[in-house]
Amino acid sequence: MHPSFMQLLHCPACASPLREAADTSLTCDCGRTFPVRVGVPDLVYPEHLLPSDVDARDQYDSVAEFYDDYAEWVCRTTNSNQAALRATLADRLELKPGDRVLEISCGTGLDLPPVVEKVGDHGTVAAIDLSAEMLRIASSRMAGLRPTVHFARCNAAYLPFADGAFDALLHFGGLNTFGELERSLAEMTRVVRVGGKVVIGDEGIAPWLLQTAYGRTIVRNDPLYRLQPPLAALPAHAQEVQLSWLLGNSFYLLEYRVGSQAPQLDLDLKIPGRNKTLRDVAAA
Ligand SMILES: C[S@@+](CC[C@H](N)C(=O)[O-])C[C@H]1O[C@@H](n2cnc3c(N)ncnc32)[C@H](O)[C@@H]1O
Ligand SMILES: [Zn+2]
């Protein structure tokens, strides 16, 4: 394992540092051992995944070979351009040369080329996914490109990375089927430093299109498009939250900056004209 990647990793079960054993597996003081297969550590936790995560893993393992064609069809069927989509996602991360960036659910790696280009030779790019087959294609796509992308097989709900390890994080396309949505959002926020950017998107047709012929056709083909952005599940310290739609307004895109704390109230200011404070209101 590359030392700069080892430095970012920790045990997904207990958050202690990991060590490389002589047989290249990663071990933790809690007694767990994580295998490394063809250079890719398998850090999936928990051992028994929720049924929806097992389904997603198995489904993506079985369609990995056709996934790129499917992604292109999703773009073209909404008259959108895939290169422009991937460039937009990388732009929203606000990356600078030398930054550390993590992609959650990288799939076959379609988002990675513009990300790698933005952080440059001195940057660090890590990419995780639950499907070994999707990761296999992603790692062959990125072979030979610099900086080297560090891949790992992980569950988004239990990330094997230290708090604040990254300057920015991207997730596109998997959230709707995650077994533990709120936990995954908390994890994605935890591993980004205060002030860093989180960019998340998935199927979710803009509400004003749901009842149009356009919306009904899209939802009939795939009911996941009926889902709406998980605004209520964002962590309290998400700041500068922005919501937009892309791919013909059929995918939502949520962006936020990681704040140092949740918004705070000054409880002791008198409310004009009411002769009381918010502290009085809270105590009533
Ligand atoms: C639609 S693909 C998106 C791939 C890529 N981000 C893209 O934009 O083309 C969804 C990905 O989410 C991954 N995934 C599903 N559940 C996951 C989980 N619990 N943790 C991490 N990745 C997961 C799948 O294996 C799959 O590669
Ligand atoms: Zn451990």
Side-chain angles (χ1 to χ4, degrees):
M1 209 65 45
H2 196 281
S4 65
F5 190 42
M6 268 314 283
Q7 230 177 15
L8 300 175
L9 286 176
H10 75 196
C11 173
C14 76
S16 300
L18 293 170
R19 280 184 310 278
E20 266 182 297
D23 65 355
T24 78
S25 63
L26 303 179
T27 62
C28 176
D29 283 344
C30 73
R32 290 182 172 83
T33 298
F34 302 95
V36 176
R37 299 189 177 93
V38 219
V40 177
D42 189 330
L43 292 153
V44 172
Y45 184 83
E47 191 186 338
H48 299 291
L49 292 171
L50 292 176
S52 59
D53 291 324
V54 170
D55 284 353
R57 180 201 62 199
D58 293 350
Q59 196 211 331
Y60 282 103
D61 274 347
S62 69
V63 301
E65 204 185 323
F66 315 105
Y67 178 79
D68 288 1
D69 289 342
Y70 180 71
E72 182 62 17
W73 175 84
V74 167
C75 295
R76 288 177 55 185
T77 201
T78 56
N79 290 298
S80 309
N81 176 289
Q82 183 164 192
L85 163 73
R86 306 297 177 182
T88 299
L89 297 177
D91 283 347
R92 301 293 172 93
L93 292 168
E94 299 175 11
L95 295 170
K96 297 184 304 304
D99 272 356
R100 299 156 305 166
V101 58
L102 172 64
E103 181 169 25
I104 301 293
S105 308
C106 62
T108 59
L110 293 166
D111 291 314
L112 288 169
V115 167
V116 159
E117 199 181 308
K118 279 183 188 292
V119 299
D121 267 5
H122 299 292
T124 301
V125 182
I128 68 106
D129 200 282
L130 193 56
S131 156
E133 281 304 299
M134 297 292 269
L135 281 168
R136 191 180 52 75
I137 296 174
S139 100
S140 71
R141 183 188 306 282
M142 300 311 289
L145 290 191
R146 295 212 24 95
T148 305
V149 177
H150 306 291
F151 292 100
R153 198 169 86 81
C154 308
N155 178 0
Y158 299 84
L159 293 176
F161 300 107
D163 295 359
F166 297 96
D167 298 297
L169 178 145
L170 173 63
H171 169 79
F172 194 72
L175 202 66
N176 285 339
T177 65
F178 283 5
E180 295 180 80
L181 171 77
E182 230 162 287
R183 193 176 209 290
S184 302
L185 287 170
E187 280 290 271
M188 293 194 220
T189 311
R190 178 184 65 76
V191 300
V192 174
R193 66 165 169 83
V194 170
K197 197 84 192 278
V198 178
V199 176
I200 292 171
D202 208 355
E203 299 97 347
I205 196 149
W208 61 90
L209 292 172
L210 259 173
Q211 297 310 327
T212 63
Y214 173 93
R216 280 200 294 268
T217 305
I218 286 180
V219 169
R220 190 170 300 164
N221 180 57
D222 183 348
L224 284 179
Y225 281 81
R226 192 190 294 285
L227 296 175
Q228 293 297 308
L231 286 167
L234 293 188
H237 58 301
Q239 288 181 357
E240 299 175 35
V241 179
Q242 293 184 57
L243 173 60
S244 57
W245 282 267
L246 28 72
L247 293 178
N249 289 341
S250 68
F251 273 65
Y252 65 79
L253 193 67
L254 258 178
E255 306 167 49
Y256 57 91
R257 209 172 285 292
V258 177
S260 57
Q261 58 177 2
Q264 304 290 308
L265 287 170
D266 185 338
L267 290 169
D268 297 313
L269 289 176
K270 277 259 183 296
I271 306 172
R274 286 177 62 191
N275 199 29
K276 56 171 142 179
T277 66
L278 284 179
R279 194 178 296 284
D280 301 325
V281 172

